[in-house]
Structures are given as C-alpha cells and as structure tokens.
Amino acid sequence: MYASNSITATTRKKGPVIAIDGPAGAGKSTVAKAIAEMFGLAYVSTGLIYRALTLKAICLGADIREAECIGELARSADVAVLPEDGDCRILLDGEDVTAELTSPEVCAYVSQVAEIPDVRAALLDIQRAIAKKGSVVMDGRDIGTVVAPDADVKIFLVADFEERVRRRVLQARERGYDVVEETVVSEIKNRDTIDSGRKVAPLKPAPDAITVDTTGKTPEETIAEVAGIIRKELCGNEVRNTSEGMGEKSCFT
Ligand code: DC
C-alpha cells in the first residue's frame, strides 16, 4: 500500500514532486498521467480521495449539508491510495471503489463535500504523506498552495469553459454514462464556484505556479509543453530526448 490515513512506511527513493492544479475539465488527469509515465513517477489524483468520501456519504445516506457529520465521517474513513500502472486506485475501508468514483452521483456532490473545512483537515495528512515520499505527480486544486507548497514544479492548467464542458461530456460518455450537456454545464459552473470560492484551500494558482492554457491544444501538445517546463525547471535543460522514460528519469537522480 502506498499511503492511507494510517500512514505506511516507504522504501521509495525520494524524487521530485510535480503539482498539477486547475479547474474541472482543464486536462489535469490526462496530462498528469502522461507526465508521470514519461518521467517514471507515480501518479496520484487527489480528487479521488474526496470522491471516495463522497461515495461513503452517499452510501450511508448522510446529509451532505451536515458539515459536522461529514467531517466525522472523514475522520473515521479509511482511504488508501494505490498508484498503479500509471494510474491510481482507491480503497475505501478496504474495498476497491475506484470504478464508482466517477459516477454522476459522486460528481454532483463532491465539491460540496470537499468544501467542508473538517473534511479538508481530515484528508490533508494522507495527501501530505504522499507528497513527502516524493517521486510523484499529484493533481488536484490545492497541491501547489496547501498540500505540497514546496513541490519541485507547479503547473496550473486552465481552459475555456466551453472546451472544459466538451471534454467532460466526452469523458462521461466514454465511461458509459448517458449525460446531457446542460447538466454538465451547470455542474461545472457549480463546481467552479464552490472550488474557487471556498474559505479553506480554494482553487487558485500558487504564486510560483506556471499557468498553461490548454484551450485548442491536443493532449499531446499540452503534454509536450508541460514536459518542457518540467525539464527546464528540474534540469535547467529545455531540450532533452523526450521519447524514453529512462532518459527523463536520469535527470532527477
Ligand atoms: O479532480 P476531481 O474532479 O476528481 O475533483 C473532485 C472534487 O474534489 C473537486 O470538485 C474539488 C475537490 N478537490 C479539492 O477540493 N482539492 C483537491 N486537491 C482535489 C479535488
């Protein structure tokens, strides 16, 4: 196990921490996974941790508006993060719930759950433990500002609203969910408002983050741009062979 609320030991040699933050649909997970593979790092989606708690609340029939109750749930939940094969799996109270975390129900409530200060406090340790181990690309909303303010490279991904909606609709349909565009529009608006407006750890770029606009770019173009920034920041060398992961890894060790 890589990390859980009950923190486990690691034998991993400490490598860089790459923080990739940004709003829903900006392309974080696609870019973060590709960067992790390219540079031989683990990939952790911190949104999945909030999603796991949201799933637990839904399954228990808890009232999401009851902040105290949801905070208590967060303190008692056993959430374990397992980076695996360039992706990330989540165990909730010992059970692999990864496939359930992108359901429309979870999507509809997760921002409200993540807004609760007690929830954020309860789920911060597990994220900081992951960052402390290093050798990881973490995506989320507050990685560069709160979870890992000393991350080696901080990227803030943005994209036009319309493009973010298009991507989310496509993604949901690829996962087999029959979503209506209007629903996705209101959901992303709602999530943007909550994620950016909350009191604790709002979505915003860290002062030292590099903002990358992914609008109108293919995933490959964005990945190449972000990889170039990482090489420059970590290795002081903008032009390297990008085709082999091992070539990339060698610049960190
Ligand atoms: O990245 P995602 O769509 O899986 O994130 C789901 C929600 O979790 C998102 O609305 C905001 C919240 N979140 C957060 O508040 N902080 C993070 N580090 C990651 C996600």
Side-chain angles (χ1 to χ4, degrees):
M1 186 177 299
Y2 188 69
S4 76
N5 304 33
S6 47
I7 295 159
T8 51
T10 181
T11 52
R12 188 187 287 275
K13 186 179 175 190
K14 194 166 163 28
V17 176
I18 314 287
I20 301 189
D21 290 304
K28 295 187 299 295
S29 62
T30 304
V31 172
K33 280 180 199 172
I35 292 294
E37 193 190 348
M38 194 181 272
F39 290 90
L41 305 171
Y43 163 66
V44 170
S45 158
T46 57
L48 291 182
I49 299 171
Y50 291 95
R51 285 170 181 269
L53 181 65
T54 306
L55 178 69
K56 179 158 184 157
I58 293 169
C59 290
L60 291 175
D63 186 342
I64 304 290
R65 292 163 302 181
E66 290 287 339
E68 217 169 290
C69 158
I70 305 295
E72 185 49 46
L73 209 59
R75 283 187 289 275
S76 65
D78 179 18
V79 182
V81 180
L82 292 93
E84 207 178 78
D85 300 331
D87 212 321
C88 179
R89 288 196 299 122
I90 299 285
L91 301 190
L92 174 64
D93 298 325
E95 190 190 337
D96 189 337
V97 293
T98 316
E100 296 165 64
L101 300 181
T102 47
S103 72
E105 292 77 20
V106 171
C107 288
Y109 292 114
V110 64
S111 285
Q112 284 163 263
V113 168
E115 186 186 16
I116 299 169
D118 278 357
V119 165
R120 303 203 72 82
L123 300 182
L124 188 56
D125 282 353
I126 178 176
Q127 297 174 76
R128 287 207 169 137
I130 292 165
K132 199 167 167 213
K133 287 174 182 174
S135 299
V136 68
V137 181
M138 298 178 78
D139 80 34
R141 303 293 187 286
D142 60 343
I143 308 303
T145 52
V146 175
V147 173
D150 56 352
D152 299 273
V153 185
K154 299 177 187 177
I155 305 289
F156 196 80
L157 288 188
V158 295
D160 280 1
F161 185 79
E162 292 72 22
E163 185 145 342
R164 290 164 54 212
V165 170
R166 256 198 316 276
R167 289 175 188 166
R168 276 290 145 120
V169 169
L170 208 67
Q171 201 177 47
R173 288 184 181 154
E174 277 169 7
R175 285 175 179 149
Y177 296 112
D178 184 20
V179 292
V180 180
E181 189 168 324
E182 291 74 50
T183 313
V184 176
V185 166
S186 61
E187 191 187 292
I188 292 193
K189 271 188 190 156
N190 186 38
R191 285 175 66 174
D192 281 357
T193 307
I194 298 176
D195 292 350
S196 308
R198 68 183 172 223
K199 288 199 178 79
V200 180
L203 167 68
K204 64 175 180 187
D208 51 346
I210 296 164
T211 296
V212 174
D213 190 341
T214 71
T215 310
K217 292 174 188 162
T218 63
E220 291 72 25
E221 286 170 335
T222 305
I223 291 160
E225 186 175 341
V226 171
I229 292 168
I230 293 170
R231 274 179 231 118
K232 196 174 175 190
E233 293 287 306
L234 288 179
C235 312
N237 179 3
E238 204 166 357
V239 186
R240 281 179 70 95
N241 176 13
T242 59
S243 61
E244 294 294 332
M246 286 310 292
E248 298 290 354
K249 277 185 243 179
S250 66
C251 88
F252 303 129
T253 54

